[in-house]
Structure formats: structure tokens, C-alpha cells
Amino acid sequence: DVKVTQSSRYLVKRTGEKVFLECVQDMDHENMFWYRQDPGLGLRLIYFSYDVKMKEKGDIPEGYSVSREKKERFSLILESASTNQTSMYLCASSPRTSAGNEQFFGPGTRLTVL
Amino acid sequence: AQKVTQAQTEISVVEKEDVTLDCVYETRDTTYYLFWYKQPPSGELVFLIRRNSFDEQNEISGRYSWNFQKSTSSFNFTITASQVVDSAVYFCALSGRPGAQKLVFGQGTRLTINP
């Protein structure tokens, strides 16, 4: 059974803290993605990675950075958390092929920044 | 630029009713893929269907059916004889050109099936 796991389901942090969200997939997928989900806005892409040590900005990268040191792991970093980063964060992965591939999602991390 | 619009923010029906979720997309790519995902209360998005732009055949899977119309840039999703377990947020998504891996999601439609 394919699986994408995220380190926490719920997280509460204080303004200014450095926050790490971890995502691990066991499907040997090349592509990994970080989204945030907000009511009325759907899913918005923060960053994605096509390969180890590769990263590209998505639609809303400001205030975030990422790290992909191993193929199976993709980390999202909030350097200095702010209240407007309170949201649901979803990680996904997909194989790299020529066709449009569905992405496999983790259960999400609901982050609250106080 | 690519865009997906799900104009229905919330829908509430009584069990056993049929319900259609609308999805309208914009893209300049001639080859593209359309998706539907379901997000139950547990939070994890579940893939339902993928359609490529060259295949306009409608698809039926049990109580679920999808109507793809390039002429109106729509990819609508119908649930027949809805059940309480169908309650979820449903997302339509688009990826363009072969090899492009990013998905653009619509805003989502929250569907509530009342017993």
C-alpha cells in the first residue's frame, strides 16, 4: 500500500519560531510537493521538487523554504512563523513520467501559529 | 495561465438524491489532464479519476460519473443516489502539457449528504 506520511497531524507554534514540517513517501517517487489549504482558496502550491536537492517555487513561496536531501523526504521550513501561516499543510508525491500523473497525498498537518 | 473554477462552495442534499459538482477550467495547452479528488473528514485527499484532453468519453464508476466537455471547458462530476459516506470536500484539478507535474486546484466544493 502506497504511503505518504507527515510528521504531525496537529502543531501549535508561537510567532517567530522556526517550524519544520516533514514528509516521507515510500513509493520511490521523484516528485514531491507542499501545498497549503485554506477555506475558499483550495490547495495552493508552495514548493515542489523534481529530484534530490532540486527545488522550485510554487505559487506562494514567500515565508517558506524547503529541503530535499533524500529522495523519500521533503521538508517544509517556516523560518519565522507568523499568524498568517496558520493553515492546513499537505504533502504529496508523484512519479516522473511523460503523462499527467495523479499525486498521492499525506494526511495533512494542521498548523496553528499563536 | 491555468485556472480551475468550482463555483459551488457548498452543497447540501438529502440522502439518495443525485448531485452534480461543477468544474470549469482554463488552459492554453492542447494536451492536458483533469482530475477529481475527494477529501473526507480525515483530511487525506483521495484520487478519484484522471482524464486526458483527447478522451472526451464520459466515464461511469458505480454511482459516480464524469462528463467532460471540451467545448465548454467543463469536467463535471455526478453522484447518483448519494449516501452519507459521500460527504466530503471535492476538488477538481488540472495539469498541462505532457510531463508537467504540477496540479492547479479549484477552490473545492463541500458536499454534505443528510440522512
Side-chain angles (χ1 to χ4, degrees):
Chain A
D1 196 17
V2 296
K3 215 162 175 65
V4 178
T5 57
Q6 296 183 229
S7 50
S8 307
R9 289 302 302 270
Y10 299 94
L11 209 53
V12 180
K13 295 292 182 181
R14 298 218 172 264
T15 301
E17 279 193 73
K18 191 168 185 175
V19 182
F20 292 87
L21 302 182
E22 306 285 343
C23 175
V24 177
Q25 51 95 3
D26 65 0
M27 297 165 279
D28 201 34
H29 285 168
E30 289 79 12
N31 304 321
M32 296 189 75
F33 307 82
W34 274 107
Y35 296 90
R36 65 176 281 176
Q37 180 182 357
D38 300 289
L41 297 177
L43 276 70
R44 293 179 293 167
L45 183 64
I46 304 172
Y47 267 98
F48 61 103
S49 170
Y50 286 142
D51 206 341
V52 175
K53 298 192 185 295
M54 304 293 287
K55 61 184 179 184
E56 290 198 29
K57 294 180 180 179
D59 300 317
I60 51 165
E62 296 77 19
Y64 303 94
S65 62
V66 290
S67 172
R68 186 139 181 231
E69 297 296 318
K70 293 185 178 181
K71 189 176 185 179
E72 68 271 18
R73 189 178 296 270
F74 192 34
S75 302
L76 180 68
I77 303 156
L78 287 66
E79 294 289 344
S80 178
S82 64
T83 55
N84 63 13
Q85 292 178 309
T86 291
S87 186
M88 169 73 95
Y89 290 88
L90 292 163
C91 176
S93 71
S94 71
R96 187 197 303 145
T97 66
S98 59
N101 288 300
E102 69 266 29
Q103 294 179 10
F104 296 85
F105 283 82
T109 296
R110 187 166 293 282
L111 173 67
T112 301
V113 182
L114 301 175
Chain B
Q2 297 182 324
K3 186 178 179 182
V4 176
T5 302
Q6 295 177 255
Q8 303 151 308
T9 305
E10 295 193 31
I11 300 174
S12 181
V13 300
V14 177
E15 200 172 19
K16 297 183 183 175
E17 283 188 32
D18 298 347
V19 58
T20 296
L21 309 182
D22 297 332
C23 173
V24 174
Y25 62 92
E26 297 175 28
T27 181
R28 292 180 182 175
D29 293 322
T30 53
T31 302
Y32 52 89
Y33 297 84
L34 294 161
F35 301 79
W36 276 96
Y37 283 85
K38 174 182 180 180
Q39 185 180 41
S42 60
E44 188 169 328
L45 269 76
V46 176
F47 166 77
L48 295 177
I49 190 172
R50 175 183 62 212
R51 256 295 177 256
N52 75 52
S53 52
F54 296 109
D55 184 0
E56 287 194 72
Q57 271 195 329
N58 292 330
E59 179 147 344
I60 298 174
S61 176
R63 296 182 297 106
Y64 294 173
S65 63
W66 291 269
N67 179 247
F68 176 29
Q69 290 196 340
K70 284 178 80 170
S71 60
T72 56
S73 297
S74 65
F75 186 44
N76 297 336
F77 173 31
T78 297
I79 301 174
T80 303
S82 60
Q83 299 177 2
V84 172
V85 293
D86 296 326
S87 296
V89 181
Y90 290 86
F91 290 97
C92 181
L94 165 71
S95 77
R97 62 179 174 80
Q101 304 295 322
K102 293 190 291 182
L103 290 178
V104 174
F105 284 85
Q107 302 91 323
T109 298
R110 181 176 296 279
L111 176 63
T112 302
I113 311 297
N114 300 297

